[in-house]
Amino acid sequence: MKFTTMSTVKSVIAENLVKTYDKGKVTALNGLSLDVEEGTVLGVLGPNGAGKTTTVRILATLLTPDSGHATVAGIDVIKDPDKVREVIGLSGQYAAVDETLTGWDNLVMFSRLYHLSPSAAKKRAEELLEQFSLTEAARRPIRTYSGGMRRRLDLAASLIVRPKILFLDEPTTGLDPRGRQEMWGVIDGLVKDGTTLLLTTQYLEEADQLADDIAVIDHGTVIARGTSDQLKRQVGGERLEIIAESQDLQKVTEIVEKVSGGKAAVDQGSRQVSAPVTTGSKALIEAARSLDDAGIHPLDIGLKRPSLDDVFIALTGHVAEEKKEEEIVDPRARRKKKKK
Amino acid sequence: MMTSISDSLVITKRQLLQLIRIPEVLIFSTIQPVMFVLLFRYVFGGSISTGIPGVDYVQLLMPGIFVQTVAFTLAGTAVGLAEDMQKGLIDRFRSLPISRSAVVFGRTLGDGALNIVVLTVMGLAGYLVGWRPSSGFLNVLLGFGFLLLFGFSMAWVGVLIGLSVRSARVANAAVFIAVFPLTFLSNAFAPTTGMPKALQYFAEWNPVSTMVAGCRELFGLQNIFGVTANSWPSQNPLQMSLIYMVIIMAIFIPLSVRKYINTASK
Ligand SMILES: Nc1ncnc2c1ncn2[C@@H]1O[C@H](COP(=O)(O)OP(=O)(O)OP(=O)(O)O)[C@@H](O)[C@H]1O
Ligand SMILES: [Mg+2]
């Protein structure tokens, strides 16, 4: 066999997906393309209604696109959905477990549906409950669980057969900071074990934290793609920012302009001088040295990189909206919202 | 094939587990028909004459109430599936590597099985208020088998309704509107002879009537409430009922399975 230079395998490929609802009146996806390299995490970042869920549902074989093409683990999701289902795990936007049953009942049931033997199903349920710190709540009906517990159980149910490829639709929406941290820990563990992950989120911080690669989507298409560093650079590079006493501002401005080689922005109110720089930490050191030589002690000095929030605003022209807590537990709230 | 049966049974088991976790559901789904037995027995029982010496109203009433109850099986099916869909469970099931008919088959089997409990309790309640089938144990058993099969076929109608409506509440209302008139425009509770001519014909061909008449036969009674004409269904209620059930299943099983495969959560 000939050696090829292509060293990466794409676990997920979507090409030009188009999906409309309500007989073409609502365009959810408008030629969306993305791919996920094996063993990596792709964060799909987008505001409400961007098409995240629709994308996930198509890739997880729950929905057929109007046009376009997609493969998961090399299998065509439209032609061979049954085979795709054997290699994926899915945890949807809203916890989809049987509320009247206990956590234990649910995991045993789903294990049986993955064709584990009765004893293997029980063993797996036990393991997962342990892994997700739900052992104590195992015998309680899900309806008594908190939002975070539900979410964890839902994720556990999608991990029964240790899928190679996992789709998580907004796994932390509606969780409190602690719940989110816990979920991130769990997801990190999965990724370390080599799971390929496609994760949607509205939280810029989350994409930054978990994803190797980020696809920003809006109105059903990918509007930017890259690592979080690349995206930040695309919006504009780093800025050198110095805050100093008022009487020093004049001198500080001179130093900043010398280091950056451009014009500095001065904000008298916050006593901040800033300018774009291209040399990174070198610029920072140089500025610090010059300030020291001039006998100026700045109140604060730093390199500020644009946050993903800045990226989002620059790319979409609007801020990513955050959702309200109640929406994850009650799908009806969402339906009301959508009707408007 | 084997896995598809065992997948279905897992779904059925889930439903039975639900009944154990929330026993109220089972309690209320048996109280209601028992209440009907008592109400009809004591409210109308005194004023409706069977016209046959030695046969009181309760003998005719029980088959009617049995059929009405199993006809309403589809309510549970429709509401249950609509709820599963609303909660996203159907989505999850559809993302699993299970046979495409397992979820709906499991569901109809479970709802059919629930009828065993309900019919047993009703039969006992009937016995307490004077119901005495005179046809022998085997025939009575056959009658109940007939009722279970009818419930099972009606459940498939429920699958289609449950997967088609937007919410569980709509499912409930839709079922009620469809089934309630059907059970009353029949020979279940009163003779059809008192109805306007057009309704009489409807009542005579109504599957509920043929089921009721068939059960009366199996429980050892003449079907005296449906003899307005010498039509084939009133002459051969058992055969006609079987034909109806086959037709219902032949139409609704493929439609329901297809609906399940193509459905998307709302
Ligand atoms: N079943 C449906 N019927 C009609 N329109 C729909 C349906 N599902 C989604 N849409 C529309 O398609 C678009 C994309 O929806 P999608 O659910 O994929 O967005 P999303 O990025 O997941 O949003 P969110 O962050 O709110 O979950 C939206 O405009 C939405 O209103
Ligand atoms: Mg979504």
Side-chain angles (χ1 to χ4, degrees):
Chain A
M1 200 179 162
K2 238 168 87 182
F3 177 76
T4 69
T5 48
M6 223 189 75
S7 59
T8 61
V9 179
K10 304 286 185 203
S11 286
V12 179
I13 301 174
E15 280 164 355
N16 280 314
L17 295 179
V18 174
K19 177 75 194 175
T20 58
Y21 292 108
D22 287 345
K23 304 190 178 69
K25 271 185 261 155
V26 182
T27 303
L29 296 184
N30 192 6
L32 180 134
S33 303
L34 53 76
D35 53 70
V36 190
E37 209 172 285
E38 188 175 20
T40 69
V41 181
L42 175 71
V44 174
L45 180 65
N48 283 145
K52 301 182 295 295
T53 299
T54 306
T55 306
V56 167
R57 288 169 55 86
I58 289 174
L59 293 173
T61 77
L62 297 179
L63 211 60
T64 333
D66 299 348
S67 67
H69 177 84
T71 62
V72 170
I75 310 160
D76 192 312
V77 297
I78 300 154
K79 292 201 194 102
D80 228 341
D82 290 329
K83 282 225 185 76
V84 171
R85 289 181 195 132
E86 283 172 22
V87 297
I88 61 165
L90 164 69
S91 175
Q93 186 165 358
Y94 305 98
V97 283
D98 189 329
E99 306 238 316
T100 52
L101 299 187
T102 66
W104 165 265
D105 292 338
N106 269 288
L107 289 180
V108 171
M109 168 178 75
F110 286 119
S111 299
R112 294 284 290 136
L113 291 175
Y114 276 109
H115 305 132
L116 301 192
S117 70
S119 60
K122 284 178 191 149
K123 191 159 156 276
R124 189 69 184 131
E126 201 106 41
E127 279 169 18
L128 285 166
L129 287 164
E130 180 74 41
Q131 184 185 344
F132 287 84
S133 330
L134 289 167
T135 308
E136 259 167 59
R139 310 281 161 173
R140 271 182 14 215
I142 305 293
R143 81 194 117 79
T144 67
Y145 282 25
S146 72
M149 291 162 79
R150 264 171 227 237
R151 221 43 248 225
R152 292 210 299 278
L153 189 83
D154 191 77
L155 182 56
S158 64
L159 297 177
I160 285 164
V161 289
R162 300 180 180 85
K164 282 212 171 64
I165 300 166
L166 187 61
F167 297 104
L168 300 180
D169 195 1
E170 302 195 20
T172 66
T173 298
L175 299 192
D176 63 12
R178 207 180 117 232
R180 187 168 305 164
Q181 283 294 339
E182 277 176 10
M183 190 55 99
W184 284 358
V186 171
I187 293 172
D188 249 349
L190 295 173
V191 173
K192 287 219 178 70
D193 290 344
T195 311
T196 304
L197 175 61
L198 186 151
L199 149 121
T200 76
T201 181
Q202 305 188 28
Y203 300 113
L204 313 153
E205 191 195 353
E206 183 161 285
D208 210 356
Q209 176 97 16
L210 294 174
D212 300 308
D213 235 342
I214 297 172
V216 184
I217 69 172
D218 199 28
H219 301 300
T221 47
V222 174
I223 53 171
R225 172 75 200 258
T227 63
S228 100
D229 283 343
Q230 286 167 347
L231 290 179
K232 287 170 182 171
R233 229 167 285 140
Q234 194 173 331
V235 172
E238 297 156 321
R239 295 179 73 84
L240 175 63
E241 286 184 3
I242 300 174
I243 297 175
E245 302 287 1
S246 306
Q247 72 266 20
D248 296 330
L249 280 187
Q250 181 60 38
K251 187 77 191 131
V252 170
T253 308
E254 279 167 30
I255 291 171
V256 168
E257 291 190 336
K258 196 179 113 233
V259 170
S260 70
K263 185 131 183 61
V266 184
D267 181 358
Q268 297 288 348
S270 60
R271 291 167 300 167
Q272 181 186 314
V273 181
S274 67
V277 292
T278 49
T279 48
S281 50
K282 227 174 116 203
L284 185 63
I285 295 167
E286 210 181 312
R289 199 171 286 146
S290 306
L291 287 170
D292 199 41
D293 290 346
I296 296 171
H297 302 289
L299 300 172
D300 188 31
I301 174 165
L303 273 180
K304 189 178 173 285
R305 307 169 99 202
S307 71
L308 271 173
D309 276 303
D310 299 332
V311 174
F312 213 94
I313 293 167
L315 291 173
T316 65
H318 52 93
V319 190
E321 305 143 52
E322 304 240 326
K323 298 174 107 187
K324 286 202 197 76
E325 179 97 355
E326 80 223 7
E327 296 193 326
I328 74 141
V329 261
D330 190 359
R332 277 161 294 179
R334 172 171 120 118
R335 302 178 68 227
K336 270 190 218 122
K337 182 196 77 192
K338 292 238 156 115
K339 269 197 208 115
K340 271 190 239 156
Chain B
M1 188 62 203
M2 275 322 282
T3 57
S4 108
I5 292 173
S6 79
D7 289 344
S8 306
L9 290 180
V10 174
I11 301 288
T12 307
K13 191 174 162 208
R14 161 193 171 220
Q15 248 177 296
L16 301 182
L17 261 180
Q18 284 181 334
L19 293 180
I20 295 170
R21 301 286 179 234
I22 309 190
E24 297 93 297
V25 174
L26 187 58
I27 293 172
F28 284 110
S29 53
T30 43
I31 284 183
Q32 201 191 342
V34 167
M35 200 178 69
F36 263 106
V37 170
L38 297 178
L39 280 177
F40 275 91
R41 165 75 178 81
Y42 293 108
V43 175
F44 300 123
S47 56
I48 300 178
S49 154
T50 61
I52 311 173
V55 175
D56 51 11
Y57 180 62
V58 72
Q59 311 304 330
L60 290 160
L61 168 70
M62 286 311 293
I65 292 196
F66 285 142
V67 173
Q68 184 190 43
T69 304
V70 292
F72 269 104
T73 304
L74 87 171
T77 313
V79 171
L81 276 174
E83 265 172 8
D84 282 355
M85 190 139 79
Q86 232 171 336
K87 298 222 168 97
L89 261 172
I90 296 289
D91 262 6
R92 161 143 266 152
F93 287 137
R94 285 174 71 236
S95 77
L96 299 176
I98 55 176
S99 116
R100 305 196 146 202
S101 51
V103 171
V104 281
F105 252 106
R107 179 99 224 169
T108 49
L109 271 181
D111 289 327
L114 180 58
N115 277 336
I116 298 178
V117 182
V118 174
L119 287 176
T120 307
V121 175
M122 284 177 72
L124 289 175
Y127 190 84
L128 287 180
V129 298
W131 176 55
R132 299 284 184 278
S134 61
S135 53
F137 183 69
L138 275 185
N139 276 326
V140 173
L141 214 58
L142 195 63
F144 280 113
F146 225 67
L147 286 164
L148 289 176
L149 192 64
F150 185 60
F152 181 71
S153 58
M154 289 303 273
W156 283 102
V157 182
V159 173
L160 195 66
I161 296 177
L163 293 177
S164 305
V165 295
R166 279 166 196 271
S167 79
R169 223 185 293 171
V170 179
N172 207 7
V175 166
F176 200 75
I177 291 169
V179 181
F180 211 63
L182 217 55
T183 61
F184 278 93
L185 290 175
S186 76
N187 58 0
F189 304 110
T192 53
T193 37
M195 299 178 183
K197 212 60 201 161
L199 283 186
Q200 274 186 35
Y201 281 113
F202 179 85
E204 215 152 296
W205 286 87
N206 182 348
V208 171
S209 296
T210 67
M211 274 300 301
V212 172
C215 285
R216 285 184 182 143
E217 252 181 51
L218 285 171
F219 294 149
L221 282 175
Q222 260 197 331
N223 174 33
I224 53 147
F225 274 5
V227 286
T228 53
N230 293 328
S231 59
W232 200 77
S234 57
Q235 297 292 313
N236 306 282
L238 280 174
Q239 289 86 329
M240 193 66 221
S241 300
L242 269 180
I243 292 172
Y244 276 137
M245 288 190 256
V246 169
I247 292 176
I248 291 173
M249 289 195 263
I251 293 175
F252 283 91
I253 292 180
L255 278 184
S256 299
V257 171
R258 223 185 66 187
K259 183 82 193 169
Y260 171 79
I261 291 169
N262 295 330
T263 203
S265 264
K266 307 202 168 106

